[in-house]
């Protein structure tokens, strides 16, 4: 059932209800997040950098209009500010109204500041501000294409404090090898520590999904896993560690590891 259709200045925004996946956000016909498995993606892109950084206070989210990432971050009382920069206000309006299972407590948490603007423009004049930046973008077509460019990653690095961490979703290791490989190698040119990790998200093409973390100081291998909150449905200390074990083809064909 199509629950709503809105045409924003950036894209077509649909909320649909399905038998197998429950309610879903669809942008320009592409599935973005679902009630069935959205938590897997949202937990993995949020908790891994949060736990890797020993003392994060200020976090930037680029994209993330479904508010699922912001909701995961609200589980950490030590965070003081969460700046969420989403180009399309309509996505947030629709998800807060109809996908509250995913947006959760984020809209009510006064540490979450919504900025409705282009993430690329937003980061340009931000220098040394953030402990962590999370790029929760849609596919690299349309408004999100620029979020995969080297210029943007350089600006994002400059927006971090000198021990900052950034993480992005780096697409399917099966179907988007070129994007994952390009992302990894661009980040390698600008950060001393770059690690790709994976999770299974059934509603995304191929199921297996990749994330790439780039860090100026802290290595996820040395993370204090005791910091990981326990009110999660997917990530736990064992999953955190196992997610960095990659199949042979990712180190071979992609040159990652
Ligand atoms: N978790 C999902 C996934 O990986 O497919 C989707 C994440 S979220 C819905 C992606 C968001 O990025 C969308 O709401 C989109 O409007 C936003 N977005 C795309 N380009 C952007 C840009 N240049 N600046 C800020 N937000 C952007």
């Amino acid at each position: 059932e199509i629950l709503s259709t809105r045409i924003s200045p950036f894209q077509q925004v649909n909320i649909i209800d399905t038998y197998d996946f429950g309610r879903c956000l669809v942008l320009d016909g592409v599935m973005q997040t679902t009630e069935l498995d959205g938590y897997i993606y949202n937990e993995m892109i949020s908790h891994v950098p949060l736990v890797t950084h020993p003392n994060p206070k200020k976090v930037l989210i680029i994209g993330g209009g479904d508010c699922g990432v912001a909701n995961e971050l609200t589980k950490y009382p030590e965070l003081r500010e969460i700046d969420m920069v989403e180009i399309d206000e309509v996505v947030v309006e629709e998800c807060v109204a109809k996908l509250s299972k995913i947006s959760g407590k984020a809209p009510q948490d006064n540490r979450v500041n919504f900025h409705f603007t282009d993430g690329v423009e937003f980061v340009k004049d931000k220098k040394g501000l953030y402990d962590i930046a999370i790029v929760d973008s849609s596919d690299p077509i349309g408004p999100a294409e620029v979020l995969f460019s080297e210029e943007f990653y350089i600006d994002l690095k400059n927006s971090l404090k000198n021990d900052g961490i950034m993480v992005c979703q780096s697409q399917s290791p099966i179907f988007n090898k070129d994007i994952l490989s390009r992302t990894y190698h661009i980040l390698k040119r600008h950060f001393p520590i770059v690690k790709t990790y994976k999770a299974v998200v059934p509603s995304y093409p191929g199921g297996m999904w990749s994330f790439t973390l780039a860090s100026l100081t802290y290595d996820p291998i040395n993370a204090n896993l005791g910091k990981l909150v326990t009110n999660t449905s997917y990530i736990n200390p064992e999953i955190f560690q196992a997610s960095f074990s990659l199949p042979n083809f990712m180190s071979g064909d992609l040159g990652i590891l």
Side-chain angles (χ1 to χ4, degrees):
E1 189 187 349
I2 297 173
L3 300 181
S4 65
T5 303
R6 288 177 67 185
I7 312 290
S8 81
F10 305 99
Q11 54 209 343
Q12 178 172 317
V13 181
N14 287 108
I15 305 289
I16 62 171
D17 198 1
T18 67
Y19 286 106
D20 290 322
F21 289 94
R23 291 188 177 195
C24 313
L25 168 68
V26 179
L27 298 177
D28 282 342
V30 179
M31 186 82 94
Q32 301 291 319
T33 191
T34 84
E35 285 182 333
L36 181 78
D37 61 4
Y39 67 90
I40 303 176
Y41 173 97
N42 289 325
E43 289 182 13
M44 291 304 284
I45 202 169
S46 313
H47 296 272
V48 170
L50 245 293
V51 171
T52 298
H53 196 295
N55 188 27
K57 297 276 178 253
K58 199 168 156 82
V59 181
L60 171 68
I61 304 168
I62 302 285
D66 53 73
C67 301
V69 170
N71 181 46
E72 290 306 319
L73 297 179
T74 65
K75 295 178 180 174
Y76 289 86
E78 69 264 36
L79 290 185
R80 300 228 174 97
E81 258 185 282
I82 301 164
D83 283 344
M84 186 177 133
V85 183
E86 163 60 59
I87 202 167
D88 195 344
E89 190 165 2
V90 172
V91 177
V92 175
E93 284 172 7
E94 287 299 305
C95 292
V96 169
K98 301 183 186 74
L99 276 185
S100 57
K101 204 173 157 186
I102 293 174
S103 58
K105 295 188 176 133
Q108 291 83 41
D109 193 307
N110 58 18
R111 293 172 296 166
V112 180
N113 311 307
F114 291 96
H115 304 265
F116 296 111
T117 185
D118 187 339
V120 172
E121 295 305 318
F122 183 88
V123 292
K124 276 196 171 117
D125 61 347
K126 306 288 178 302
K127 305 286 176 226
L129 283 185
Y130 296 100
D131 298 299
I132 295 173
I134 299 174
V135 187
D136 179 16
S137 67
S138 22
D139 294 340
I141 308 160
E145 193 177 347
V146 280
L147 301 180
F148 288 78
S149 69
E150 183 157 13
E151 295 70 26
F152 170 65
Y153 290 131
I154 293 170
D155 288 338
L156 201 58
K157 176 187 174 183
N158 292 334
S159 78
L160 294 172
K161 293 184 186 152
N162 57 16
D163 61 350
I165 299 175
M166 64 144 284
V167 64
C168 60
Q169 66 94 354
S170 40
Q171 303 280 111
S172 161
I174 309 280
F175 291 116
N176 312 113
K177 287 190 169 67
D178 49 340
I179 297 169
L180 169 54
S181 176
R182 198 174 157 271
T183 304
Y184 178 86
H185 292 289
I186 288 176
L187 293 174
K188 265 291 210 199
R189 288 202 278 275
H190 301 285
F191 290 82
I193 299 161
V194 181
K195 300 259 160 86
T196 291
Y197 60 99
K198 61 172 194 330
V200 171
V201 187
S203 61
Y204 291 165
M208 187 195 287
W209 208 250
S210 77
F211 306 87
T212 299
L213 177 146
S215 173
L216 292 165
T217 303
Y218 309 112
D219 192 320
I221 279 176
N222 304 320
N224 171 10
L225 299 180
K227 273 187 61 190
L228 187 59
V229 293
T230 51
N231 53 342
T232 56
S233 300
Y234 186 79
I235 196 167
N236 55 38
E238 292 75 25
I239 289 285
F240 181 108
Q241 286 174 320
S243 70
F244 289 93
S245 299
L246 301 179
N248 288 348
F249 77 86
M250 287 176 75
S251 53
D253 296 0
L254 294 173
I256 290 172
L257 280 182

